[in-house]
Amino acid sequence: MKNFSHLLIKEIKELVNKQLVISLVFMLFIFNFIGNVTKSEIKKAMAKQKIAVLDLDKSEISKNIIGALNMANFIIEEKSGEKEQVVKELRSSGLDLLVVIPAGFGQEVSNFRPGEVETYSYLKGISMTGSRKSEIVKALLQTTNEFLSNEYLKKKLPDLDPKLLKAPIKSREFVVVRDRMAEGSTSAVIGSLYAQSFILPVILMMIIMYSSQMVITAIAMEKQNKTLETLLTVPISRTAVVMAKMLAAGIVGLLSAAIYMYGFRNAFSFNTGDIAKAMSGVAPILKQLGLTITTQGYALFGISLFLTILVALSLATILGVLAEDYRTAQSLTVPLVFLVLVPYFVSLFADINTMSLPAKILVLAIPFSHPFFAVQNIMFGHLNMLWLGIVYNFLFVVVMLYWTTKIFSTDRVLTMKLKWGKRKVVL
Amino acid sequence: MAVVLEVEGLKKKYGSLEALKGISFKVEEGEIFGLIGPNGAGKTTTLRIIATLLTPSDGKVTFLGFDLKKHPEKFREKISYLPEEAGAYRNMKGIDYLNFMAKFYAKDEAEVREFVERAKRICGLGERLKDKVGTYSKGMTRKLLLARALMTKPALAILDEPTSGLDVINSLEVREMIKGFTREGVSVLLSSHNMLEVEFLSDRVALIDRGEILDSGTPQGLKEKYQASNLEIVFRSAVQ
């Protein structure tokens, strides 16, 4: 045990080197920079925007529309003159949105004929601010349409409620999960669950990839620096050598992933406050539907994640043995990355439970898949699936650890090589 | 003299390739035993098996009464192995590397200090031990590694091509270090394709070629037997 902790400390020190620290600090700096740029763009988009309005109608209705634009967080710069001239002038001005209310608009609308409003968006680049302006104008025109059509209906059918005329069906939405039912919007429930869990696959992917890369690098560096042979002849068991490397890689990998996630969260303004805010209305529905994770659920997810990390570490250890140097080790992480990307994308864009059986088997055969679907399985009560995943990964870990320690206990630790030129594994 | 290491009928196969064809030899306490032969003769394979890195295909290796197959851990406790192309952790300072390695063998902190002090004397790197290994020349790294191998006073030091890649001055210094250490009772099993070096260092030698020991004895005895002026001529005669 003394020798194990001694070796573990050395492994951690070797992994937490200047290069890793610099790359993590650089990554935090980049994320911070992206975050600041994004936040400033959002701030700009949310701030009061200046737009130009050319009212050629000068009717009561057109004035109402301009008033509504004022209410919708726009600073109005009223223009006058010929439309073509105004459109041309605005090309070189700082304004990039023009609303034109043509002459006769009010007359047309008053006579219950469709009136036209023209909007001109001046694209000067791709930014949130530009797209948001036209979206708001569209929403505004929709509201104006709603207002005018209600007025029309009130005049024609004064005894009836225009809203009832336009939407004679009143719907009540119910969401059913297993044997539970709650009244609420399905999209709100799904949106809320997605908001809670969209970050999870990213975290999982980062943990698995960082840990694997760490252990592959640790072993490859021992080979490249010609220190492995010496290490294998010191009085410490081979199992302890393997475990120390895997544990150190797991610790440093988790730490790196945590730092990465911190930077990611800052950059994309992700925080628990936002989720809590988004969930506040849906929370009672989720609770009623049993779509919450209990302590037992968290424990099961933890087991699934822990086993997956062990799978990744043991697989990476074997790949590390195959690598002759650091450069080969880097290329050997590619197959692992692909294996992680499959469940990552499936969990983001598909429902594993509705996939065809062969596709489902293929995805679930990848041991990394199980924690990606664990939370969903816990919430929707697919506990058999969850347990199956845990048992599968446990067996996988046992086999892989046995094989890894076996490799380290035999000549293979020195003789196994991956020859890229011949594409051949030499045992 | 007591026998420290006994190798009997040692064989090693890599698939169809027979690297060792049943070699046998003994190393006695306090002696330097040299394996000499050309590249690919089986020297490194023999040393790697005794150092517990490779498993023998057949034969028996006994060290201080312990069988290699049954008690490899006993070998690791009392043997120090210096591979031909060994390196040290480049990001560690020389002194930290010695401390790190000493801790595997020492019973307590006092013994760690004792080992490290001995290593400092052996390598003679002085203040440079405070620098990172990555900044060392090949000769300095080799001296550090040799000091690491000898600092624990192992019952048997296995040195594979100890002066490999070193210049004349460094080679002479390393040879003196090895020679001096056996005076403290350490047995040494070394290999080299530099037959003159082995002749200078070894009490007894074995001539190995294509996985077989052709002959063995003291350098003087072999020279007399083959009526040769040095071991290179002895080897050529033995091969013929």
Side-chain angles (χ1 to χ4, degrees):
Chain A
M1 194 62 201
K2 182 197 82 170
N3 280 352
F4 176 77
S5 55
H6 174 50
L7 185 58
L8 178 67
I9 292 166
K10 171 251 163 193
E11 294 296 341
I12 293 174
K13 280 184 179 172
E14 283 277 300
L15 289 173
V16 185
N17 53 27
K18 214 188 321 177
Q19 292 92 319
L20 180 76
V21 173
I22 289 172
S23 68
L24 287 175
V25 169
F26 181 70
M27 188 187 67
L28 281 179
F29 171 77
I30 292 290
F31 271 137
N32 189 45
F33 175 74
I34 295 170
N36 284 338
V37 170
T38 316
K39 277 172 199 161
S40 119
E41 275 297 302
I42 291 171
K43 212 173 168 184
K44 265 198 264 172
M46 300 303 284
K48 272 200 163 199
Q49 305 289 329
K50 205 173 177 184
I51 63 166
V53 176
L54 176 63
D55 184 5
L56 299 169
D57 187 47
K58 306 283 183 193
S59 67
E60 194 61 34
I61 292 171
S62 69
K63 278 177 190 155
N64 281 346
I65 290 178
I66 295 169
L69 280 170
N70 258 318
M71 298 280 285
N73 225 15
F74 285 105
I75 299 167
I76 309 295
E77 191 176 308
E78 286 212 48
K79 298 279 177 189
S80 56
E82 288 295 309
K83 186 176 83 177
E84 287 72 20
Q85 189 58 35
V86 174
V87 170
K88 201 175 169 185
E89 269 175 26
L90 281 179
R91 277 182 201 153
S92 51
S93 77
L95 293 166
D96 40 35
L97 195 88
L98 169 68
V99 178
V100 179
I101 305 170
F105 172 81
Q107 184 79 34
E108 292 293 306
V109 171
S110 301
N111 291 327
F112 307 115
R113 284 196 296 270
E116 273 185 5
V117 171
E118 295 167 7
T119 63
Y120 296 82
S121 294
Y122 293 80
L123 282 184
K124 289 160 186 167
I126 306 162
S127 71
M128 279 185 197
T129 325
S131 61
R132 191 177 142 76
K133 273 179 192 171
S134 63
E135 287 303 316
I136 289 176
V137 171
K138 271 183 202 162
L140 179 81
L141 293 178
Q142 204 177 339
T143 313
T144 315
N145 267 332
E146 182 76 14
F147 166 75
L148 292 173
S149 67
N150 285 351
E151 289 300 303
Y152 170 82
L153 288 169
K154 270 182 202 167
K155 276 184 188 169
K156 291 280 179 188
L157 303 159
D159 299 334
L160 290 171
D161 181 0
K163 284 180 187 167
L164 191 68
L165 273 172
K166 285 195 280 185
I169 301 168
K170 193 185 173 192
S171 71
R172 286 178 72 192
E173 253 190 281
F174 292 89
V175 185
V176 183
V177 175
R178 283 168 287 157
D179 55 345
R180 293 180 182 209
M181 190 168 70
E183 186 167 1
S185 155
T186 315
S187 60
V189 168
I190 291 174
S192 171
L193 292 177
Y194 191 75
Q196 285 179 76
S197 59
F198 90 97
I199 202 76
L200 191 68
V202 183
I203 297 174
L204 285 171
M205 191 178 71
M206 294 317 300
I207 292 173
I208 294 169
M209 274 164 46
Y210 264 108
S211 306
S212 309
Q213 197 173 23
M214 291 289 158
V215 79
I216 288 183
T217 306
I219 296 169
M221 288 307 284
E222 290 270 9
K223 284 192 161 188
Q224 186 171 304
N225 292 335
K226 313 277 181 198
T227 48
L228 187 61
E229 282 193 38
T230 308
L231 184 65
L232 294 177
T233 58
V234 299
I236 180 168
S237 75
R238 299 288 169 87
T239 312
V241 172
V242 176
M243 293 303 162
K245 287 204 177 292
M246 283 172 51
L247 188 58
I251 292 169
V252 180
L254 277 172
L255 202 72
S256 305
I259 293 170
Y260 181 89
M261 289 317 302
Y262 173 77
F264 184 85
R265 201 186 78 168
N266 274 357
F268 299 103
S269 301
F270 168 79
N271 61 58
T272 46
D274 292 339
I275 286 181
K277 209 170 155 188
M279 276 192 63
S280 57
V282 196
I285 304 170
L286 295 179
K287 201 173 175 187
Q288 218 176 325
L289 293 170
L291 293 175
T292 48
I293 304 176
T294 58
T295 316
Q296 190 199 1
Y298 277 116
L300 287 172
F301 174 71
I303 293 168
S304 179
L305 178 62
F306 176 70
L307 289 171
T308 306
I309 292 172
L310 283 183
V311 170
L313 290 174
S314 48
L315 263 174
T317 306
I318 294 170
L319 288 174
V321 172
L322 288 171
E324 275 187 277
D325 50 34
Y326 180 73
R327 210 175 54 146
T328 322
Q330 291 302 305
S331 58
L332 283 173
T333 56
V334 176
L336 278 181
V337 171
F338 276 107
L339 283 179
V340 180
L341 284 179
V342 172
Y344 171 71
F345 282 116
V346 170
S347 70
L348 282 181
F349 303 114
D351 180 0
I352 185 79
N353 296 304
T354 57
M355 287 170 80
S356 69
L357 190 64
K360 200 169 168 178
I361 290 171
L362 209 66
V363 173
L364 293 178
I366 301 170
F368 304 138
S369 298
H370 300 281
F372 281 93
F373 307 114
V375 170
Q376 200 179 322
N377 285 334
I378 291 165
M379 285 203 286
F380 287 89
H382 304 136
L383 291 183
N384 286 346
M385 189 91 150
L386 179 74
W387 277 109
L388 208 68
I390 288 175
V391 171
Y392 176 74
N393 272 9
F394 177 75
L395 293 174
F396 207 97
V397 165
V398 170
V399 172
M400 292 311 292
L401 283 181
Y402 170 78
W403 203 27
T404 312
T405 44
K406 189 91 182 155
I407 287 171
F408 266 79
S409 307
T410 60
D411 304 5
R412 288 183 176 176
V413 68
L414 299 174
T415 56
M416 265 172 80
K417 275 175 202 165
L418 192 66
K419 290 188 176 177
W420 284 116
K422 294 178 182 175
R423 301 251 169 209
K424 183 181 165 190
V425 177
V426 181
L427 303 173
Chain B
M1 288 279 235
V3 172
V4 175
L5 177 80
E6 187 165 3
V7 176
E8 294 172 78
L10 189 63
K11 288 184 182 176
K12 179 67 185 173
K13 284 183 182 176
Y14 295 107
S16 58
L17 177 79
E18 209 173 5
L20 293 178
K21 297 170 183 169
I23 64 166
S24 302
F25 62 89
K26 287 177 188 173
V27 179
E28 293 175 352
E29 193 183 337
E31 80 165 339
I32 299 181
F33 188 90
L35 285 176
I36 53 175
N39 293 333
K43 305 187 295 292
T44 298
T45 302
T46 308
L47 300 191
R48 280 178 154 194
I49 290 172
I50 299 164
T52 73
L53 283 171
L54 299 179
T55 44
S57 305
D58 201 5
K60 193 176 179 187
V61 181
T62 316
F63 171 66
L64 296 176
F66 293 105
D67 183 78
L68 175 69
K69 282 178 188 164
K70 289 179 190 161
H71 300 286
E73 74 287 351
K74 294 287 176 194
F75 279 58
R76 289 180 199 137
E77 280 170 19
K78 296 280 178 187
I79 278 176
S80 270
Y81 175 53
L82 176 67
E84 181 183 355
E85 286 185 354
Y89 300 104
R90 295 175 61 80
N91 288 324
M92 270 190 199
K93 291 174 183 169
I95 191 76
D96 293 339
Y97 175 71
L98 293 173
N99 255 302
F100 168 69
M101 295 306 288
K103 281 180 183 168
F104 285 112
Y105 298 89
K107 291 191 294 286
D108 49 36
E109 276 301 313
E111 200 171 25
V112 171
R113 283 194 294 275
E114 184 194 322
F115 288 165
V116 174
E117 281 308 314
R118 187 176 298 129
K120 280 176 170 177
R121 283 198 304 276
I122 297 169
C123 69
L125 290 173
E127 286 298 302
R128 287 304 308 270
L129 281 171
K130 290 177 187 167
D131 295 332
K132 286 196 174 177
V133 173
T135 65
Y136 288 8
S137 67
K138 195 166 183 180
M140 288 166 73
T141 308
R142 202 68 183 157
K143 283 178 191 171
L144 179 78
L145 293 170
L146 191 66
R148 187 274 304 161
L150 299 176
M151 71 180 173
T152 56
K153 275 198 178 177
L156 179 69
I158 302 171
L159 312 176
D160 193 0
E161 305 277 359
T163 60
S164 165
L166 297 185
D167 59 36
V168 179
I169 305 292
N170 276 312
S171 296
L172 280 171
E173 283 178 12
V174 166
R175 281 180 204 137
E176 287 301 331
M177 283 159 67
I178 298 167
K179 196 94 176 162
F181 218 77
T182 50
R183 289 182 208 120
E184 296 185 36
V186 174
S187 305
V188 175
L189 171 63
L190 64 86
S191 85
S192 180
H193 61 272
N194 182 342
M195 301 187 193
L196 299 177
E197 172 178 286
V198 178
E199 187 179 341
F200 167 76
L201 280 173
S202 307
D203 299 304
R204 287 189 307 127
V205 295
L207 312 177
I208 184 167
D209 187 41
R210 293 174 200 177
E212 286 176 296
I213 289 184
L214 305 175
D215 209 341
S216 64
T218 62
Q220 191 55 38
L222 286 169
K223 279 193 282 187
E224 284 168 11
K225 184 177 172 183
Y226 290 91
Q227 295 177 331
S229 56
N230 60 51
L231 284 183
E232 281 180 348
I233 300 169
V234 168
F235 189 83
R236 194 181 63 193
S237 306
V239 170
Q240 285 165 356

